[in-house]
mmCIF file of all heavy atoms in Angstrom:
data_model
loop_
_atom_site.group_PDB
_atom_site.id
_atom_site.type_symbol
_atom_site.label_atom_id
_atom_site.label_comp_id
_atom_site.label_asym_id
_atom_site.label_seq_id
_atom_site.Cartn_x
_atom_site.Cartn_y
_atom_site.Cartn_z
ATOM 1 N N SER K 344 9.244 -4.450 9.630
ATOM 2 C CA SER K 344 10.347 -5.410 9.635
ATOM 3 C C SER K 344 11.304 -5.034 10.876
ATOM 4 O O SER K 344 11.310 -3.929 11.325
ATOM 5 C CB SER K 344 11.181 -5.277 8.345
ATOM 6 O OG SER K 344 10.337 -5.396 7.247
ATOM 7 N N TYR K 345 12.061 -5.985 11.325
ATOM 8 C CA TYR K 345 12.977 -5.739 12.376
ATOM 9 C C TYR K 345 13.973 -4.684 11.939
ATOM 10 O O TYR K 345 14.484 -4.628 10.820
ATOM 11 C CB TYR K 345 13.740 -7.042 12.734
ATOM 12 C CG TYR K 345 12.919 -8.032 13.458
ATOM 13 C CD1 TYR K 345 12.481 -9.258 12.870
ATOM 14 C CD2 TYR K 345 12.423 -7.807 14.800
ATOM 15 C CE1 TYR K 345 11.701 -10.153 13.597
ATOM 16 C CE2 TYR K 345 11.643 -8.676 15.461
ATOM 17 C CZ TYR K 345 11.301 -9.924 14.901
ATOM 18 O OH TYR K 345 10.565 -10.787 15.509
ATOM 19 N N LEU K 346 14.296 -3.819 12.847
ATOM 20 C CA LEU K 346 15.134 -2.713 12.598
ATOM 21 C C LEU K 346 16.405 -2.865 13.472
ATOM 22 O O LEU K 346 16.357 -2.946 14.723
ATOM 23 C CB LEU K 346 14.497 -1.374 12.985
ATOM 24 C CG LEU K 346 15.234 -0.119 12.696
ATOM 25 C CD1 LEU K 346 15.468 0.037 11.152
ATOM 26 C CD2 LEU K 346 14.489 1.101 13.143
ATOM 27 N N THR K 347 17.588 -2.931 12.780
ATOM 28 C CA THR K 347 18.865 -3.062 13.522
ATOM 29 C C THR K 347 19.276 -1.815 14.102
ATOM 30 O O THR K 347 18.899 -0.692 13.588
ATOM 31 C CB THR K 347 19.978 -3.562 12.562
ATOM 32 O OG1 THR K 347 20.021 -2.631 11.435
ATOM 33 C CG2 THR K 347 19.661 -4.953 11.983
ATOM 34 N N ALA K 348 20.011 -1.881 15.200
ATOM 35 C CA ALA K 348 20.403 -0.635 16.033
ATOM 36 C C ALA K 348 21.061 0.386 15.161
ATOM 37 O O ALA K 348 20.887 1.588 15.312
ATOM 38 C CB ALA K 348 21.251 -1.056 17.204
ATOM 39 N N ASN K 349 21.906 -0.092 14.144
ATOM 40 C CA ASN K 349 22.696 0.906 13.399
ATOM 41 C C ASN K 349 21.852 1.705 12.401
ATOM 42 O O ASN K 349 22.358 2.583 11.746
ATOM 43 C CB ASN K 349 23.903 0.213 12.727
ATOM 44 C CG ASN K 349 23.477 -0.866 11.744
ATOM 45 O OD1 ASN K 349 22.318 -1.061 11.589
ATOM 46 N ND2 ASN K 349 24.433 -1.458 11.154
ATOM 47 N N LYS K 350 20.598 1.270 12.201
ATOM 48 C CA LYS K 350 19.725 2.014 11.294
ATOM 49 C C LYS K 350 18.920 3.107 12.004
ATOM 50 O O LYS K 350 18.338 3.933 11.350
ATOM 51 C CB LYS K 350 18.702 1.003 10.720
ATOM 52 C CG LYS K 350 19.306 0.207 9.550
ATOM 53 C CD LYS K 350 18.116 -0.514 8.826
ATOM 54 C CE LYS K 350 18.694 -1.325 7.639
ATOM 55 N NZ LYS K 350 17.580 -1.947 6.813
ATOM 56 N N ILE K 351 18.946 3.132 13.338
ATOM 57 C CA ILE K 351 18.256 4.146 14.066
ATOM 58 C C ILE K 351 19.153 5.410 14.160
ATOM 59 O O ILE K 351 19.979 5.525 14.976
ATOM 60 C CB ILE K 351 17.856 3.647 15.502
ATOM 61 C CG1 ILE K 351 17.057 2.459 15.413
ATOM 62 C CG2 ILE K 351 17.071 4.776 16.158
ATOM 63 C CD1 ILE K 351 16.712 1.812 16.709
ATOM 64 N N ILE K 352 18.901 6.323 13.170
ATOM 65 C CA ILE K 352 19.703 7.504 13.140
ATOM 66 C C ILE K 352 18.871 8.704 13.514
ATOM 67 O O ILE K 352 17.853 8.945 12.924
ATOM 68 C CB ILE K 352 20.289 7.722 11.682
ATOM 69 C CG1 ILE K 352 21.068 6.432 11.316
ATOM 70 C CG2 ILE K 352 21.176 8.907 11.586
ATOM 71 C CD1 ILE K 352 21.524 6.437 9.841
ATOM 72 N N GLN K 353 19.359 9.534 14.388
ATOM 73 C CA GLN K 353 18.602 10.641 14.911
ATOM 74 C C GLN K 353 18.325 11.662 13.773
ATOM 75 O O GLN K 353 19.257 11.945 12.948
ATOM 76 C CB GLN K 353 19.346 11.368 16.076
ATOM 77 C CG GLN K 353 18.415 12.342 16.742
ATOM 78 C CD GLN K 353 19.175 12.893 17.988
ATOM 79 O OE1 GLN K 353 20.334 12.644 18.194
ATOM 80 N NE2 GLN K 353 18.394 13.583 18.885
ATOM 81 N N ASN K 354 17.098 12.113 13.701
ATOM 82 C CA ASN K 354 16.701 13.067 12.735
ATOM 83 C C ASN K 354 16.840 12.620 11.270
ATOM 84 O O ASN K 354 16.984 13.390 10.271
ATOM 85 C CB ASN K 354 17.510 14.389 12.795
ATOM 86 C CG ASN K 354 17.277 15.039 14.148
ATOM 87 O OD1 ASN K 354 16.156 15.015 14.662
ATOM 88 N ND2 ASN K 354 18.374 15.691 14.698
ATOM 89 N N ASN K 355 16.794 11.314 11.054
ATOM 90 C CA ASN K 355 16.768 10.803 9.741
ATOM 91 C C ASN K 355 15.401 10.820 9.129
ATOM 92 O O ASN K 355 14.525 10.048 9.408
ATOM 93 C CB ASN K 355 17.250 9.284 9.733
ATOM 94 C CG ASN K 355 17.369 8.707 8.350
ATOM 95 O OD1 ASN K 355 16.783 9.165 7.351
ATOM 96 N ND2 ASN K 355 18.245 7.689 8.187
ATOM 97 N N LYS K 356 15.165 11.839 8.294
ATOM 98 C CA LYS K 356 13.825 12.148 7.738
ATOM 99 C C LYS K 356 13.324 11.009 6.790
ATOM 100 O O LYS K 356 12.109 10.894 6.557
ATOM 101 C CB LYS K 356 13.785 13.452 7.072
ATOM 102 C CG LYS K 356 14.110 14.641 7.941
ATOM 103 C CD LYS K 356 14.130 15.969 7.193
ATOM 104 C CE LYS K 356 14.377 17.141 8.141
ATOM 105 N NZ LYS K 356 14.450 18.405 7.333
ATOM 106 N N GLY K 357 14.155 10.262 6.215
ATOM 107 C CA GLY K 357 13.794 9.265 5.239
ATOM 108 C C GLY K 357 13.458 7.950 5.869
ATOM 109 O O GLY K 357 13.076 6.992 5.187
ATOM 110 N N LEU K 358 13.599 7.754 7.190
ATOM 111 C CA LEU K 358 13.374 6.477 7.832
ATOM 112 C C LEU K 358 12.140 6.560 8.766
ATOM 113 O O LEU K 358 12.097 7.386 9.595
ATOM 114 C CB LEU K 358 14.586 6.122 8.676
ATOM 115 C CG LEU K 358 14.529 4.785 9.383
ATOM 116 C CD1 LEU K 358 14.503 3.579 8.431
ATOM 117 C CD2 LEU K 358 15.712 4.585 10.317
ATOM 118 N N LYS K 359 11.172 5.729 8.440
ATOM 119 C CA LYS K 359 10.002 5.639 9.333
ATOM 120 C C LYS K 359 10.132 4.403 10.229
ATOM 121 O O LYS K 359 10.273 3.314 9.702
ATOM 122 C CB LYS K 359 8.719 5.510 8.496
ATOM 123 C CG LYS K 359 8.326 6.758 7.765
ATOM 124 C CD LYS K 359 7.046 6.538 6.924
ATOM 125 C CE LYS K 359 6.605 7.722 6.152
ATOM 126 N NZ LYS K 359 5.455 7.507 5.345
ATOM 127 N N PHE K 360 10.203 4.650 11.512
ATOM 128 C CA PHE K 360 10.228 3.465 12.376
ATOM 129 C C PHE K 360 9.349 3.622 13.599
ATOM 130 O O PHE K 360 9.026 4.755 14.012
ATOM 131 C CB PHE K 360 11.680 3.074 12.823
ATOM 132 C CG PHE K 360 12.356 4.204 13.589
ATOM 133 C CD1 PHE K 360 12.270 4.252 14.956
ATOM 134 C CD2 PHE K 360 13.163 5.144 12.915
ATOM 135 C CE1 PHE K 360 12.935 5.181 15.701
ATOM 136 C CE2 PHE K 360 13.773 6.106 13.710
ATOM 137 C CZ PHE K 360 13.688 6.148 15.086
ATOM 138 N N VAL K 361 8.915 2.570 14.222
ATOM 139 C CA VAL K 361 8.080 2.577 15.345
ATOM 140 C C VAL K 361 8.611 1.640 16.399
ATOM 141 O O VAL K 361 9.389 0.730 16.099
ATOM 142 C CB VAL K 361 6.637 2.089 14.962
ATOM 143 C CG1 VAL K 361 5.958 3.114 13.948
ATOM 144 C CG2 VAL K 361 6.600 0.771 14.407
ATOM 145 N N SER K 362 8.145 1.806 17.630
ATOM 146 C CA SER K 362 8.585 0.923 18.712
ATOM 147 C C SER K 362 7.324 0.372 19.404
ATOM 148 O O SER K 362 6.183 0.974 19.344
ATOM 149 C CB SER K 362 9.449 1.615 19.641
ATOM 150 O OG SER K 362 8.755 2.658 20.333
#
Side-chain angles (χ1 to χ4, degrees):
S344 306
Y345 287 111
L346 185 64
T347 56
N349 61 2
K350 280 190 176 182
I351 304 176
I352 305 172
Q353 192 173 13
N354 297 325
N355 186 334
K356 295 180 181 179
L358 181 65
K359 289 181 181 177
F360 62 89
V361 296
S362 64

